[in-house]
Amino acid sequence: MLILHCPYCGVDADETELTPGGEAHLTRHGPGSNDADFETYLFMRENPKGPHFERWRHAFGCGKWFHAARHTVTMQVFGTYPAQTQRPPQEILDRISAAHPGWRWRDLGDEGTRA
């Protein structure tokens, strides 16, 4: 069973208390965006076999949204952090890199890209 730590209320909640919200750290395009940007936002999602960043809501707890980093095959959880965070905390990126040498996240700019 998947157990995630809610960074707001501090509860270790199992998946029956949580609601998944899809991929985290998406660039949302709204009114006034061009068709290509809006299409990318609507339809282009990561579907990795490995580390992935997701949105979760503590539905039967504090009700707040947060982000979680987990491995989609092994269900290993690398950490959770507030949804208002623009990019994953460095300590979570370090945990993923330690478990998967050579892995890099897509939004690191000059520091590398996701493999």
Side-chain angles (χ1 to χ4, degrees):
M1 180 171 280
L2 180 64
I3 297 176
L4 298 174
H5 179 79
C6 177
Y8 296 103
C9 63
V11 171
D12 289 334
D14 68 50
E15 60 194 279
T16 63
E17 295 181 47
L18 305 168
T19 302
E23 185 177 349
H25 304 291
L26 294 175
T27 301
R28 289 165 173 80
H29 299 280
S33 65
N34 64 45
D35 289 345
D37 286 342
F38 194 63
E39 177 187 24
T40 299
Y41 166 68
L42 284 179
F43 301 113
M44 304 308 288
R45 297 287 193 263
E46 297 289 327
N47 190 17
K49 189 175 183 180
H52 189 49
F53 296 94
E54 304 167 326
R55 299 177 68 228
W56 289 86
R57 181 174 176 259
H58 194 181
F60 293 100
C62 66
K64 294 188 177 182
W65 286 94
F66 63 92
H67 292 169
R70 72 175 182 93
H71 194 285
T72 59
V73 176
T74 65
M75 301 294 276
Q76 177 185 4
V77 176
F78 300 105
T80 60
Y81 52 100
Q84 293 77 18
T85 306
Q86 296 296 314
R87 58 171 267 153
Q90 189 60 47
E91 60 269 12
I92 291 177
L93 295 173
D94 292 343
R95 277 187 223 133
I96 296 170
S97 293
H100 302 278
W103 179 90
R104 289 200 166 87
W105 189 51
R106 64 186 151 108
D107 289 339
L108 289 177
D110 293 336
E111 299 173 41
T113 58
R114 182 171 13 193

